[in-house]
Amino acid sequence: MLGLPAGVRACLFDLDGVLTQTAQVHRAAWTATFDEYLRARSDRTGEPFVPFDPAADYAAHVDGKKRADGVRDFLASRGVVLPEGAAEDEGTGSVAGLGNRKNRLLLSLLHDEGVEVFEGSRRYVEAAAAAGLARAVVSSSANTRLVLDVTGLAPLFDVVVDGVEARRLDLPGKPAPDTFLEAARRLGVAPAAAAVFEDALAGVEAGRAGGFGHVVGVDRLGQADALRRHGADVVVADLEELL
């Protein structure tokens, strides 16, 4: 059924890059944020300015992760450690400050450019609903519910576990499986009876680590082999291929 093994009764979808084309907006916001920081650091220290790579750096260090984890992991790849900072920080001198700056840029881009849905994904979710499969969105983004409302996708899902919920429940982000496990719990299904749909390497790792019945990698960045290595059972370019 829908390209899934027998016994799967629930579908757990990542948002950015799987359901919506917001991943490109996230990449733009991260690129602007990190390049501003790296350029200022270069001016201050005399080190060469090496810009953030919106393909390689995004996929390796940021994609699918909580905002603060993405900041820490990317900066660590450049040998930089910043203080955590307070939640309300606005500057670029802390992990929290850089994360907040990225989120402000993201919201501005979403307002200016809108949000597009992958139509193949919309059709797949509608088919899953018609087939009686339970459905959840599991995303590290704190803006998940806003995006679901703006795109009209919200009524298609029974459960949402997003960055806001993860923070409230103190759940570690992907590649830890905890947010997916929480979604399965809320849907009332065992992990083995749920399929995970992810475009991020950290996300497919989380699906595999959680013992889920099937992990679908969605290749939007030309990284099909990497998705398989990190835990995807099958890789597609678009969910419509599974219909």
Side-chain angles (χ1 to χ4, degrees), residues 64-139:
K65 299 179 182 178
K66 287 182 176 180
R67 197 183 307 148
D69 291 341
V71 172
R72 285 190 214 95
D73 290 355
F74 170 69
L75 292 181
S77 77
R78 299 295 181 91
V80 177
V81 177
L82 289 180
E84 289 299 302
E88 66 276 7
D89 277 3
E90 296 293 332
T92 58
S94 69
V95 169
L98 279 174
N100 289 338
R101 180 159 185 77
K102 180 265 176 178
N103 196 51
R104 289 195 304 276
L105 286 172
L106 174 71
L107 292 175
S108 177
L109 289 168
L110 290 177
H111 178 270
D112 293 343
E113 300 178 12
V115 182
E116 292 187 46
V117 177
F118 290 106
E119 286 306 315
S121 296
R122 187 195 296 271
R123 285 190 285 273
Y124 190 89
V125 176
E126 289 171 345
L133 298 176
R135 301 159 314 284
V137 171
V138 183
S139 172

Side-chain angles (χ1 to χ4, degrees), residues 1 25 28 47 51 54 70 82 106 121-122 135 160 172 175 180 233 239:
M1 180 186 294
V25 186
E47 297 174 4
L82 289 180
L106 174 71
S121 296
R122 187 195 296 271
R135 301 159 314 284
V160 174
F180 281 121
D233 293 301
L239 294 190

Side-chain angles (χ1 to χ4, degrees), residues 34-52 74 77-80:
F34 282 132
D35 281 358
E36 178 189 40
Y37 171 79
L38 292 170
R39 192 173 284 108
R41 179 180 171 82
S42 175
D43 291 343
R44 188 173 65 253
T45 66
E47 297 174 4
F49 167 61
V50 180
F52 178 81
F74 170 69
S77 77
R78 299 295 181 91
V80 177

Side-chain angles (χ1 to χ4, degrees), residues 71-234:
V71 172
R72 285 190 214 95
D73 290 355
F74 170 69
L75 292 181
S77 77
R78 299 295 181 91
V80 177
V81 177
L82 289 180
E84 289 299 302
E88 66 276 7
D89 277 3
E90 296 293 332
T92 58
S94 69
V95 169
L98 279 174
N100 289 338
R101 180 159 185 77
K102 180 265 176 178
N103 196 51
R104 289 195 304 276
L105 286 172
L106 174 71
L107 292 175
S108 177
L109 289 168
L110 290 177
H111 178 270
D112 293 343
E113 300 178 12
V115 182
E116 292 187 46
V117 177
F118 290 106
E119 286 306 315
S121 296
R122 187 195 296 271
R123 285 190 285 273
Y124 190 89
V125 176
E126 289 171 345
L133 298 176
R135 301 159 314 284
V137 171
V138 183
S139 172
S140 60
S141 173
N143 303 304
T144 297
R145 291 186 183 274
L146 169 64
V147 172
L148 291 175
D149 288 341
V150 167
T151 56
L153 290 172
L156 291 172
F157 296 98
D158 308 299
V159 161
V160 174
V161 177
D162 61 2
V164 175
E165 282 293 277
R167 185 165 55 250
R168 184 179 69 83
L169 298 172
D170 196 27
L171 300 176
K174 306 166 188 176
D178 300 59
T179 50
F180 281 121
L181 292 171
E182 175 65 14
R185 185 191 68 77
R186 294 185 187 189
L187 291 173
V189 300
V196 166
F197 298 78
E198 265 285 359
D199 71 313
L201 302 182
V204 294
E205 281 187 40
R208 179 58 55 228
F212 289 91
H214 198 56
V215 180
V216 178
V218 184
D219 182 23
R220 308 288 192 195
L221 298 174
Q223 56 178 2
D225 289 342
L227 287 167
R228 292 187 186 95
R229 286 197 304 272
H230 283 258
D233 293 301
V234 63

